[in-house]
Amino acid sequence: MIEYKSLGRTGIKVSELCFGTMSFGGRADKSESEKMYKTCREAGINFFDCADVYQKGVAESYLGEFISQERDKVVITTKTYGAMGDDVNEKGLNAKHIRLGVEASLKRLNTDYVDVMFLHHFDPTVREEETLRAVDRLVSEGKVLSLGVSNFAAYQVERMLHVSAINQFAPISVIQPMFNIAKRMAEVELLPMAAYEGLGVITYSPLGGGLLTGRYKDGYSNASGRLVENQNYNKRYGGQFYEQVAREYSELCSKWGINEATLAVAWVMAHKQVTAPIIGAAHTEHLKQSLQAVSLTLEPELLKAIDAISPPPPPATDRSEEQ
Ligand SMILES: NC(=O)c1ccc[n+]([C@@H]2O[C@H](COP(=O)([O-])OP(=O)(O)OC[C@H]3O[C@@H](n4cnc5c(N)ncnc54)[C@H](OP(=O)(O)O)[C@@H]3O)[C@@H](O)[C@H]2O)c1
């Protein structure tokens, strides 16, 4: 049975799995997208992650249509930052793009408000006050209920929190970093910071974009999927370490008789600081394997074996033995 958790200190209750809609209108056509939406709802998921750039607004339009009969029963996110057109100002965290971008997202989502609006990436060209004032206005107008940041370093989140506090702007309440068995960088600073600040944490790519599903266990050369077809993902998961993780992880799953995707999602869920992993799929059958994670309990021995394949990163500071 799926459980519900508080999203940081927002008080909003969200399912312990969030479904990510990045495949809507891309690797999943409309009917498959709708089928996945319904499968999630039947499983008890009330939390859906989206972004303006997912298929240039198509994912938002699909999601808007699917939620239309039950808008207030679901918690939805969207994001702003990425280029949505050719104009020089149609990107970034400047006040103009934030205002026009969020208004356009609301139209596509066919709703008056978005539950969480994420700044999709840090924008070093814009003063934090500019960005935060622009989003604070959207919060005051009721168009955005809570704010989040994605792909920010811990010091950038802390800086945003400081600027909001001294200006009495709405604070950042949620972070969205990448986090999976093969990519554990969030453990160093982001997750401890989230605990300290009481932030909600929804992490993306629990399967490493497919790396942790068995489809790359024999290497990349004869495989198909995002890691070989998409240049960014190819760079992100390219190299000997990731190929070795894919292979050894699959061997471990066979030994324990556990589905690769189910275990990878359960591993992220098991981190005490994670509110909900954002699961992704292009097919309902794949989605179902990730949904099984809610009923999997991880033995300490299994966690140790996973650490041996992909070790926890060293802490950000040394001399912890003296504390
Ligand atoms: N904030 C950000 O910058 C950011 C970035 C990325 C994602 N996200 C969010 O996080 C969500 C999930 O991210 P993600 O798609 O990268 O997650 P993921 O769970 O790491 O990867 C999902 C992909 O793995 C493959 N897959 C899933 N289940 C499978 C199975 N059982 N067997 C074999 N392959 C399987 C599919 O790849 P194929 O598509 O190749 O079939 C699927 O699209 C997105 O929808 C989005 O909402 C956010």
Side-chain angles (χ1 to χ4, degrees):
M1 272 278 283
I2 212 147
E3 290 184 9
Y4 299 86
K5 291 161 110 176
S6 194
L7 183 58
R9 293 202 191 119
T10 64
I12 297 272
K13 297 289 183 294
V14 292
S15 45
E16 59 187 336
L17 288 177
C18 174
F19 181 70
T21 61
M22 191 166 75
S23 60
F24 282 10
R27 291 178 81 85
D29 64 15
K30 192 167 182 185
S31 102
E32 193 61 26
S33 303
E34 186 166 19
K35 207 167 145 197
M36 290 196 286
Y37 176 81
K38 286 186 173 153
T39 304
C40 286
R41 294 295 288 138
E42 280 157 19
I45 290 181
N46 73 342
F47 194 17
F48 295 87
D49 180 64
C50 200
D52 53 359
V53 288
Y54 296 165
Q55 277 66 249
K56 286 267 190 279
V58 176
E60 286 183 326
S61 302
Y62 284 8
L63 182 62
E65 205 176 311
F66 304 155
I67 64 171
S68 60
Q69 299 305 309
E70 52 172 4
R71 166 64 190 99
D72 297 335
K73 298 265 186 265
V74 291
V75 177
I76 59 166
T77 82
T78 195
K79 311 188 189 82
T80 188
Y81 170 86
M84 287 299 286
D86 296 334
D87 187 80
V88 284
N89 286 313
E90 269 181 297
K91 63 180 282 197
L93 297 185
N94 62 76
K96 186 176 169 76
H97 178 59
I98 287 176
R99 163 63 54 176
L100 297 175
V102 173
E103 301 270 12
S105 286
L106 291 176
K107 271 202 195 115
R108 287 188 293 264
L109 287 162
N110 190 26
T111 181
D112 299 332
Y113 70 99
V114 62
D115 297 273
V116 187
M117 211 275 292
F118 281 97
L119 307 175
H120 206 156
H121 288 271
F122 184 71
D123 185 345
T125 68
V126 184
R127 263 191 315 147
E128 287 90 348
E129 284 85 347
E130 281 291 313
T131 300
L132 290 167
R133 183 171 289 109
V135 285
D136 183 63
R137 288 200 178 120
L138 291 163
V139 173
S140 303
E141 291 165 19
K143 292 177 175 170
V144 167
L145 301 190
S146 301
L147 297 177
V149 292
S150 182
N151 301 307
F152 277 44
Y155 76 89
Q156 293 165 337
V157 182
E158 285 292 358
R159 171 83 192 147
M160 293 300 241
L161 286 169
H162 170 71
V163 172
S164 310
I166 58 174
N167 289 286
Q168 298 187 328
F169 294 149
I172 301 298
S173 302
V174 192
I175 59 169
Q176 185 177 147
M178 183 198 294
F179 184 49
N180 60 54
I181 286 170
K183 294 267 192 189
R184 302 183 60 163
M185 299 78 154
E187 285 173 55
V188 182
E189 300 223 276
L190 280 165
L191 297 179
M193 176 204 66
Y196 182 73
E197 297 289 0
L199 303 176
V201 181
I202 63 172
T203 58
Y204 71 83
S205 291
L207 308 181
L211 182 85
L212 303 166
T213 63
R215 63 204 278 183
Y216 301 99
K217 67 177 191 288
D218 298 321
Y220 293 171
S221 35
N222 294 319
S224 68
R226 206 193 299 174
L227 301 198
V228 286
E229 289 153 22
N230 179 312
Q231 251 190 351
N232 286 338
Y233 279 84
N234 194 258
K235 267 195 202 147
R236 205 173 293 167
Y237 292 99
Q240 209 189 342
F241 172 74
Y242 294 107
E243 290 205 36
Q244 188 176 327
V245 168
R247 189 182 64 251
E248 291 180 4
Y249 176 71
S250 269
E251 287 164 6
L252 180 75
C253 289
S254 305
K255 192 171 141 203
W256 281 73
I258 307 177
N259 175 272
E260 283 103 332
T262 308
L263 176 57
V265 174
W267 182 87
V268 177
M269 291 178 85
H271 195 291
K272 65 179 185 312
Q273 213 45 58
V274 173
T275 313
I278 312 173
I279 54 174
H283 312 283
T284 310
E285 288 320 305
H286 282 171
L287 166 63
K288 286 180 180 166
Q289 294 174 6
S290 290
L291 292 175
Q292 292 296 323
V294 297
S295 34
L296 183 66
T297 312
L298 305 185
E299 306 286 335
E301 200 190 327
L302 179 55
L303 290 170
K304 254 199 210 160
I306 291 173
D307 282 352
I309 293 171
S310 178
T317 52
D318 211 326
R319 298 179 65 166
S320 56
E321 71 282 359
E322 291 176 31
Q323 284 170 352

